[in-house]
Amino acid sequence: MNLNERPLHELLALIEQGEIHARDVIRDLYRAIAEKEPQIRAYISLTPQERLLEECERLSEKPLRGLPIAVKDNIVTRDLKTTCASRFLENFQPIFDATVIKRLKDAGATILGKTNLDEFAMGSSTENSAFFATRNPHDPERVPGGSSGGSAAAVAAHEAICALGSDTGGSIRQPASFCGIVGLKPTYGLVSRYGLVAFASSLDQIGPMTKDVRDCAILLNYIAGHDPNDSTSVARPSEDYTQELDQEIKGFRVGVPKEYISDLSGQAQACLESWVKTFRELGAEIVELSLPHTEYAIPTYYLISSSEASANLARFDGVRYTKRASDSSVETMFSESRDQGFGPEVKRRIMIGTYALSAGYYEAWYGKAQRVRALIRQDFENAFQSVDIIISPTSPTPAFQLGERLKDPLAMYLSDIFTVPASLAGTPAISIPGGTVEGLPFGIQLIADRFQERKLLRVAHAFERALPRYAP
Ligand code: GLN
């Protein structure tokens, strides 16, 4: 097996034993990139191989040994442009590293490249990138999911060992499901958002996208923790997320929400049944439960996230950052820069958000959405009184065809039905490979109560070992 196909924890062990060196891994990665990237197109920019080979020498004594990580291109990096897959930021060179990047670099990681996404992370297929679409390594006619589609495709195609993504309503979990990898959205507030270009600030979280659950726990150890530069990051004692991974889950209560499973296709239903069976074999108890406000989650999410986006994206005005249209007058310069700089989906969100926040409509739309959000959060708080973990499919379907949902934004939005509730509630959720539907990867989502990442990863790890491995 080539080194680029191995998970991070195995590579670290091999380096420690003196069997290999980080440069061997880097060479294998670039070989895979040269071979696969013309078709997959996971990356917007790449660090030159020579530079990584040099950097890894200096880092060989640090815990991550100079091994490279791929990063979604809405997380700012001092050494590589950060475009958010938008014309607006096509040539934007940040002057600092996001907190997560700084932490990973301090631990001895290097940055392999910046991965493609839906423009400003708005979308579910990576087709909203202003530059190009990324393809699913399991079937190049299909999307990799989104918005962290580049990170998911890079890990699945072994063009990266592991990656960072960001998740606002499912953007780590859904592409992880579509590409057959592991993706974790941490509890809101656990990981610093400083240096993540904001989409919807009350929902955005950065998280790991990896080949297995152990790698997810390892990366979380490095990126989690309080940051004075992000006022919503929570000060809590640090934890070792790998600590409980190997413990059994006998006696755990696993909840299946009835609202999530009523409309599943035959094959998805069969997957769900195999998950229930696997959990029972592990000694867990299966409990049917209800999250009664689930049907309101999609409209609530799109109102809140678009409102926050319309405020956050006001800073892209042609004056600061990179894109500026002709400046015959200040007003035309603003409006033409925005017209030329933003793609259609971003404009749609800004219009929805501006409308929902406008005088006279604020209470009816944004205010109401906030109140429904509180009810959705309450649903989860009630459920976690009686269960340890909630399970569901990550997405109702496996990866869809390129172009299939582009003409119908509503169909695209509805596919987020299982991922947005945990985002609104702020709880952690992970997607791991759970079988196949139509011959394609189909992920299971596990949700835990807020700040229960250790328990979540323990259950995910037990399940990962017990379910017959999905072989692409
Ligand atoms: N698909 C969702 C959206 O378009 C989620 C995006 C995300 O999590 N960044 O808003």
Side-chain angles (χ1 to χ4, degrees):
M1 196 192 268
N2 296 326
L3 294 174
N4 55 312
E5 295 174 27
R6 304 259 188 130
L8 181 67
H9 61 90
E10 282 183 22
L11 295 172
L12 290 171
L14 288 170
I15 293 175
E16 227 144 278
Q17 292 153 15
E19 304 269 329
I20 61 163
H21 188 278
R23 60 179 170 266
D24 306 322
V25 181
I26 292 171
R27 290 205 183 97
D28 280 359
L29 277 168
Y30 276 89
R31 206 168 299 130
I33 289 170
E35 184 193 322
K36 295 181 179 165
E37 194 54 7
Q39 184 185 39
I40 304 290
R41 308 204 72 186
Y43 287 98
I44 293 177
S45 55
L46 276 168
T47 304
Q49 177 170 197
E50 286 313 308
R51 195 163 108 205
L52 280 193
L53 289 172
E54 241 170 68
E55 280 180 13
C56 79
E57 298 300 332
R58 279 186 289 109
L59 299 166
S60 58
E61 299 304 314
K62 300 248 185 153
L64 291 173
R65 312 281 181 182
L67 288 174
I69 289 174
V71 177
K72 188 177 182 180
D73 206 20
N74 60 349
I75 299 173
V76 302
T77 43
R78 207 173 42 196
D79 304 326
L80 288 168
K81 281 192 303 190
T82 299
T83 67
C84 294
S86 177
R87 292 271 167 235
F88 234 118
L89 295 177
E90 208 165 358
N91 297 306
F92 176 51
Q93 179 58 64
I95 54 170
F96 68 103
D97 279 327
T99 299
V100 290
I101 301 296
K102 184 170 178 316
R103 284 182 193 230
L104 287 169
K105 281 186 176 172
D106 288 348
T110 51
I111 307 302
L112 181 53
K114 303 297 290 291
T115 56
N116 199 17
L117 64 151
D118 290 295
E119 185 175 2
F120 287 107
M122 297 174 189
S124 308
S125 68
T126 312
E127 293 164 296
N128 294 338
S129 166
F131 307 137
F132 49 82
T134 297
R135 288 166 185 266
N136 190 314
H138 298 275
D139 176 353
E141 294 312 312
R142 292 179 189 259
V143 302
S147 63
S148 313
S151 286
V155 174
H158 304 301
E159 293 182 49
I161 307 300
C162 53
L164 293 181
S166 73
D167 191 309
T168 305
S171 278
I172 288 176
R173 292 162 282 161
Q174 184 255 27
S177 171
F178 282 15
C179 291
I181 66 160
V182 175
L184 169 73
K185 180 199 89 77
T187 304
Y188 183 80
L190 185 66
V191 176
S192 168
R193 292 181 295 112
Y194 184 65
L196 170 65
V197 178
F199 162 13
S201 311
S202 76
L203 297 156
D204 299 339
Q205 270 292 286
I206 295 170
M209 304 180 76
T210 59
K211 295 189 206 288
D212 64 17
V213 173
R214 183 173 298 279
D215 276 5
C216 225
I218 293 173
L219 282 190
L220 189 63
N221 274 352
Y222 290 107
I223 63 174
H226 179 60
D227 176 10
N229 285 326
D230 172 4
S231 60
T232 60
S233 90
V234 176
R236 290 170 62 89
S238 65
E239 290 183 77
D240 177 1
Y241 297 101
T242 63
Q243 201 185 324
E244 287 177 22
L245 281 185
D246 294 316
Q247 295 179 16
E248 53 174 39
I249 59 164
K250 206 175 259 144
F252 274 41
R253 289 168 63 86
V254 174
V256 185
K258 62 173 197 261
E259 291 80 4
Y260 285 29
I261 56 174
S262 44
D263 282 336
L264 292 179
S265 76
Q267 287 188 20
Q269 191 66 40
C271 278
L272 181 73
E273 279 157 25
S274 77
W275 303 339
V276 165
K277 184 163 163 273
T278 303
F279 274 114
R280 289 209 170 107
E281 283 163 7
L282 288 166
E285 190 188 332
I286 300 291
V287 184
E288 193 186 88
L289 57 82
S290 172
L291 298 168
H293 297 93
T294 300
E295 64 172 305
Y296 306 113
I298 293 277
T300 303
Y301 168 80
Y302 277 93
L303 278 166
I304 291 175
S305 63
S306 302
S307 300
E308 294 182 12
S310 80
N312 276 325
L313 270 54
R315 75 192 62 170
F316 301 106
D317 54 9
V319 178
R320 293 158 290 185
Y321 310 105
T322 64
K323 181 85 193 170
R324 178 178 298 186
S326 71
D327 42 7
S328 47
S329 75
V330 174
E331 208 165 308
T332 43
M333 189 273 285
F334 282 163
S335 65
E336 280 177 19
S337 298
R338 288 169 74 75
D339 186 35
Q340 293 165 21
F342 290 136
E345 182 62 25
V346 177
K347 287 178 184 160
R348 181 158 35 234
R349 308 273 180 125
I350 292 174
M351 285 189 284
I352 295 172
T354 309
Y355 179 78
L357 292 175
S358 58
Y361 295 100
Y362 181 95
E363 258 314 301
W365 295 108
Y366 184 71
K368 196 172 211 172
Q370 289 289 26
R371 288 195 292 280
V372 179
R373 181 177 187 176
L375 294 173
I376 290 169
R377 192 174 179 138
Q378 191 64 51
D379 281 355
F380 280 94
E381 278 168 16
N382 295 344
F384 287 122
Q385 299 286 321
S386 58
V387 298
D388 295 285
I389 293 288
I390 295 174
I391 61 164
S392 77
T394 304
S395 183
T397 65
F400 43 87
Q401 301 274 345
L402 281 149
E404 188 184 313
R405 300 199 184 167
L406 270 187
K407 294 264 170 310
D408 186 355
L410 196 59
M412 195 78 101
Y413 296 174
L414 288 174
S415 65
D416 297 333
I417 178 67
F418 300 139
T419 49
V420 296
S423 299
L424 291 165
T427 60
I430 191 169
S431 178
I432 67 176
T436 55
V437 168
E438 299 164 31
L440 292 159
F442 190 68
I444 171 175
Q445 173 178 237
L446 289 78
I447 308 172
D449 203 356
R450 297 171 69 237
F451 298 107
Q452 296 294 314
E453 270 80 359
R454 268 204 347 225
K455 189 195 268 181
L456 181 64
L457 289 159
R458 169 180 175 176
V459 177
H461 190 242
F463 182 84
E464 179 185 56
R465 276 180 304 177
L467 192 78
R469 186 101 187 121
Y470 163 71

